[in-house]
Amino acid sequence: MRNKCIGRRTVAFACPPRILAGETVVSKIEGEGPLGKFFDTVLEDDTWGEKTWELAERKMFEHVVRAALEKANLSPGEVDILLGGDLLNQIISANFAARELGIPFIGLYGACSTMAESLLLGAMLMDGGFASCVACAASSHFCTAERQYRMPLEMGTQAIPTAQRTVTGAGCTLLADDTLIAKAQYQAVYVTHGVIGRVVDLGVKDAANMGAAMAPAAADTFVTHLRETSQTAESYDIVVTGDLGRLGGELFQELCKKENVDVAERHVDCGNIIFAPDQNVNCGGSGCACSAVTLNGYLLKRLEAGDFRRMFFMATGALMSTTSGMQGESIPGVAHGLVIERR
Amino acid sequence: MTNKKPATKQELEYQQLVSERAPKSKVLAQCVKAFLSGGLICCIGQLFRDFARLCLHLGETDVASFTAIVMVFLGAMLTGVGVYDRIGSWAGAGSVVPITGFANSIVSPAMEFRPEGFVLGLGAKLFSIAGPVLVYGIGASIVVGLVSLLF
């Protein structure tokens, strides 16, 4: 029975889940960025009083879930499913935070696409009748990502101009159906459609240029969705990509143009807007938290305020590991999409 | 080594587009910066060298050891207090090539992996960056030594 699909990859929810609340935490540098005033918590110290950065990331993950529940006046026991992940090996931030939270948990790894991946699956689980309240969360930390993927922090090397800075932070979105009695931060914001990403690889090998590696996946997801639903880019007030950065964002627009989709006017990349150009971050932000905090801190608020009505939100993931990189493999990319509407 | 088929036309076109659009490193400006900063570090080394020779009256071998020890100490200390990475982000190769850069490449993983314990963290990762330099440096010196022995 396949009765909620439009074409091959777009799913249309019969009962669109409502976004109840969103919660964010970021570190100091994101707090000093252009979106600083939209975040719920800005940390002064990126270890948050913990002994290691891994513990700090875990704490952020747990914190955003608890704080989002508090906003909605719910307890962890009232959430049916927790979906989420992060960038670390064996997604330890999400797994260990879930141990403390005690909510039935499905761990996800989609690299930086995790926020969209968790929302997509969360909405599908709800529309399938398997849950009436789902928490979707993702986190990343500059220091934990650097030591896993790159060089020690104190190593005196130069940043590459195409590189992006991993956002330190975590974001959580609460999805609920109308049967749940809760205090809502957002009154009328719904997830109406989802698009499952395809893994696309056009042979970019440079791990310091992940925006370029992921842009083809984003273009593939967006263009496919428009064709399947017979829409044009004008059907959306805003088209958001997760962390393509300056170069990747440009390439995404270019690739869409080749398919006769002109998205330049309405395209916003989270990695581009989370940092100001003078913050010394080269091509912008990246990491699971980049799209997670921009969506939950900034975009949902603008949607609720009525600044735009229909948003196509994609988070993009670069699916390589240090091993695959050292063995000379190129970087596969994926982009999951969601249609988020104010009704 | 990799499992991929030869690049398709679409892939080649895209890679071409990426390299056209990618912001470039400012090679010339970087070379000047590296020259100045590397030169400055070497001048500081020379100062310690002269100090050892003229003030401490050390012999030629001891002068070399003294200078190396002082410069490694400075590199390690600046890494420890979190300054060397900032110098490196401006200087590039200028602060990587001198012996202070070698100290930086050993102390930075030591600091980074301390939470994983003294043996499997700090101990195992200490030479994770400097290791290849040592392996091929010592390897090359053995070859050169053999050549000079033979001819």
Side-chain angles (χ1 to χ4, degrees):
Chain A
M1 194 175 66
R2 191 169 179 277
N3 57 2
K4 289 177 181 173
C5 302
I6 307 173
R8 184 160 166 236
R9 286 164 61 192
T10 301
V11 290
F13 302 119
C15 305
R18 188 169 135 211
I19 293 181
L20 205 61
E23 178 73 28
T24 52
V25 56
V26 294
S27 79
K28 198 170 168 215
I29 180 168
E30 291 79 18
E32 287 165 352
L35 305 182
K37 62 175 188 288
F38 294 99
F39 300 127
D40 296 302
T41 311
V42 177
L43 302 176
E44 269 303 303
D45 160 28
D46 60 8
T47 59
W48 207 358
E50 297 291 324
K51 258 197 286 191
T52 66
W53 293 307
E54 283 77 11
L55 288 171
E57 183 175 345
R58 204 171 295 172
K59 188 171 170 183
M60 294 193 303
F61 194 106
E62 188 187 336
H63 167 81
V64 286
V65 177
R66 286 197 196 279
L69 290 174
E70 236 164 72
K71 265 187 191 167
N73 230 344
L74 294 168
S75 70
E78 289 169 278
V79 182
D80 300 310
I81 305 166
L82 169 66
L83 293 166
D86 58 280
L87 291 177
L88 302 185
N89 293 336
Q90 289 78 40
I91 53 167
I92 49 170
S93 309
N95 284 335
F96 284 68
R99 177 183 68 186
E100 304 305 317
L101 290 161
I103 305 167
F105 170 65
I106 298 175
L108 303 173
Y109 185 82
C112 313
S113 72
T114 305
M115 192 66 233
E117 188 182 19
S118 62
L119 282 169
L120 175 64
L121 289 170
M124 286 166 87
L125 286 167
M126 287 188 53
D127 197 42
F130 300 102
S132 60
C133 182
V134 178
C136 307
S139 71
S140 59
H141 194 304
F142 173 72
C143 301
T144 61
E146 284 296 306
R147 71 201 301 248
Q148 180 175 308
Y149 290 101
R150 297 178 196 101
M151 288 284 180
L153 290 177
E154 297 300 335
M155 179 76 190
T157 47
Q158 256 171 342
I160 297 150
T162 52
Q164 294 166 250
R165 183 188 164 96
T166 306
V167 169
T168 301
C172 173
T173 312
L174 280 186
L175 296 176
D177 63 17
D178 292 328
T179 63
L180 191 85
I181 298 154
K183 201 171 79 190
Q185 180 188 6
Y186 301 118
Q187 301 309 320
V189 182
Y190 292 85
V191 181
T192 61
H193 298 75
V195 188
I196 303 170
R198 206 165 64 87
V199 177
V200 180
D201 186 344
L202 290 186
V204 174
K205 287 188 175 180
D206 185 0
N209 192 359
M210 291 198 288
M214 300 185 293
D220 174 74
T221 297
F222 185 55
V223 171
T224 305
H225 168 71
L226 292 184
R227 294 216 173 117
E228 285 180 345
T229 52
S230 318
Q231 294 181 104
T232 60
E234 286 74 34
S235 311
Y236 293 97
D237 301 320
I238 181 169
V239 175
V240 181
T241 49
D243 60 345
L244 297 179
R246 248 184 301 289
L247 174 62
E250 236 179 75
L251 292 166
F252 166 71
Q253 294 175 8
E254 192 81 12
L255 290 169
C256 287
K257 212 179 201 173
K258 270 194 188 156
E259 302 289 331
N260 296 318
V261 173
D262 188 6
V263 71
E265 258 176 57
R266 56 201 76 238
H267 172 230
V268 168
D269 183 74
C270 302
N272 256 346
I273 58 172
I274 193 162
F275 292 121
D278 62 1
Q279 282 184 297
N280 214 0
V281 291
N282 299 300
C283 262
S286 69
C288 300
C290 185
S291 55
V293 301
T294 309
L295 176 73
N296 288 300
Y298 174 66
L299 295 167
L300 291 179
K301 285 175 193 159
R302 300 253 339 241
L303 209 56
E304 172 82 359
D307 295 340
F308 32 82
R309 204 185 68 78
R310 280 196 99 207
M311 168 166 79
F312 192 77
F313 172 80
M314 278 179 283
T316 43
L319 304 173
M320 82 300 184
S321 79
T322 47
T323 308
S324 72
M326 283 196 279
Q327 292 180 349
E329 300 274 354
S330 53
I331 302 170
V334 70
H336 300 292
L338 296 155
V339 179
I340 305 179
E341 271 185 29
R342 186 176 191 282
R343 289 197 159 172
Chain B
M1 204 159 68
T2 58
N3 268 332
K4 281 206 82 178
K5 296 173 222 85
T8 61
K9 189 165 162 272
Q10 189 198 9
E11 287 178 18
L12 291 174
E13 272 176 17
Y14 182 66
Q15 285 159 24
Q16 174 74 25
L17 178 71
V18 172
S19 59
E20 275 167 25
R21 293 293 177 87
K24 306 283 181 294
S25 296
K26 296 175 182 113
V27 178
L28 188 68
Q30 265 318 314
C31 286
V32 173
K33 283 182 184 175
F35 177 77
L36 292 176
S37 52
L40 180 67
I41 293 174
C42 293
C43 288
I44 297 169
Q46 186 65 44
L47 277 178
F48 283 111
R49 204 182 163 84
D50 289 345
F51 172 76
R53 194 163 53 88
L54 301 172
C55 303
L56 302 178
H57 307 293
L58 296 179
E60 189 52 40
T61 342
D62 290 344
V63 165
S65 312
F66 175 83
T67 314
I69 290 167
V70 171
M71 295 309 281
V72 165
F73 169 76
L74 285 178
M77 190 189 70
L78 290 174
T79 306
V81 296
V83 175
Y84 206 86
D85 59 322
R86 286 183 214 174
I87 299 174
S89 73
W90 188 84
S95 64
V96 173
V97 176
I99 199 165
T100 47
F102 184 74
N104 171 247
S105 77
I106 290 176
V107 175
S108 58
M111 290 165 67
E112 186 92 15
F113 292 96
R114 169 67 191 86
E116 278 88 333
F118 277 111
V119 178
L120 294 177
L122 193 153
K125 299 279 189 181
L126 195 61
F127 290 98
S128 60
I129 296 162
V133 181
L134 294 176
V135 168
Y136 294 108
I138 293 167
S141 63
I142 290 172
V143 173
V144 172
L146 283 175
V147 169
S148 80
L149 196 72
L150 290 173
F151 299 102

